Amino acid sequence: MARPYSPGPKPFVFTVGDGNDQQVSVGDPQAAYEAFAAFFRGRESDTYAIEDEAAGQKLVLMPRLGVISRIKDGDQSRSEHLKVERANRYLTGAMLFFENGYAGLDYFGQWFSDLADLDASPETRGAARAATFTTEAAAIHEVGRIWANSGIVDPSDQYHVFFDSHDVDRDRAERAELLQLIAFLGLERVDAPAGAAGGEVWVRADPRLDAEYERWS
């Protein structure tokens, strides 16, 4: 659920590597997004940052490296990094940050605390991410996150389809993670029907998944 804005304008600072910063004060997430989109598209930089100084949170976009970082200061300081494979995810990430800060990006992808982990192959990253989920509840929740990004329920209601209409070269890290989680949870993977896209993963319906998808709908 999006974090409601407090009454009155909310300040953000937009920064780029050349020091050409911009301070804005906006009334809602959509206005913040529109202001940042204009800032982002109007410059050529290695890094773009959005800082919510009051909350002690920052989002850093690095298009040339293909990386997004999120940073949270305070008693529980934390920084995490995400490998980006599609250019449209930079502004999508910005919108999620405007809506709900650091936590708004939880469902966005495979976050790693060590930037060096992003240098690994997609399959290695996916396996490493899957290994962090050691309980059924956490693994089911992560499967739900992956499904929410790209999944459908087959019209027969017998199968859950992940990476709907995606080719096999897209979302390799998340597919590797999902396959490992399927095995961990004992879900039944089935062959995709003729004509399905090469990257689709079909799983027989399971009540545990149905309950989780309700939370993401």
Side-chain angles (χ1 to χ4, degrees):
M1 181 177 294
R3 175 184 58 192
Y5 265 42
S6 300
K10 182 176 178 65
F12 291 96
V13 179
F14 304 155
T15 62
V16 289
D18 62 8
N20 186 12
D21 303 344
Q22 179 178 327
Q23 296 187 4
V24 300
S25 185
V26 291
D28 57 60
Q30 184 61 37
Y33 171 82
E34 291 171 359
F36 180 73
F39 178 86
F40 181 80
R41 291 171 177 148
R43 290 164 173 78
E44 290 289 338
S45 178
D46 290 338
T47 63
Y48 304 79
I50 305 166
E51 186 169 4
D52 181 347
E53 294 180 331
Q57 299 181 5
K58 180 186 290 186
L59 182 70
V60 182
L61 312 179
M62 294 170 273
R64 292 178 185 170
L65 291 179
V67 172
I68 294 176
S69 297
R70 59 176 182 170
I71 301 162
K72 179 170 61 175
D73 296 327
D75 294 338
Q76 296 181 327
S77 296
R78 190 174 183 182
S79 61
E80 292 186 319
H81 315 281
L82 172 74
K83 189 72 173 177
V84 178
E85 298 177 353
R86 300 192 297 276
N88 63 356
R89 289 174 72 82
Y90 295 105
L91 288 178
T92 302
M95 185 64 191
L96 293 171
F97 184 75
F98 290 131
E99 288 181 334
N100 203 21
Y102 185 99
L105 291 124
D106 282 349
Y107 94 99
F108 201 43
Q110 298 176 339
W111 294 97
F112 293 90
S113 58
D114 189 341
L115 189 60
D117 288 339
L118 303 187
D119 293 332
S121 71
E123 288 73 22
T124 299
R125 296 199 313 271
R129 170 79 174 180
T132 66
F133 298 96
T134 57
T135 67
E136 177 178 295
I140 286 288
H141 184 74
E142 179 70 354
V143 168
R145 179 194 68 78
I146 295 171
W147 182 86
N149 282 330
S150 61
I152 62 169
V153 175
D154 178 68
S156 70
D157 287 334
Q158 297 181 65
Y159 307 104
H160 300 135
V161 183
F162 296 81
F163 311 112
D164 177 47
S165 301
H166 291 193
D167 63 48
V168 72
D169 292 326
R170 183 175 169 186
D171 301 306
R172 287 167 54 194
E174 293 223 319
R175 188 175 298 103
E177 178 189 3
L178 174 68
L179 294 179
Q180 191 159 315
L181 291 174
I182 286 172
F184 173 71
L185 292 167
L187 299 172
E188 182 183 353
R189 184 183 178 188
V190 300
D191 292 335
E200 291 183 4
V201 175
W202 287 57
V203 175
R204 192 171 299 280
D206 185 289
R208 295 173 294 171
L209 297 183
D210 290 333
E212 184 61 33
Y213 296 164
E214 287 295 325
R215 298 189 181 98
W216 290 97
S217 299

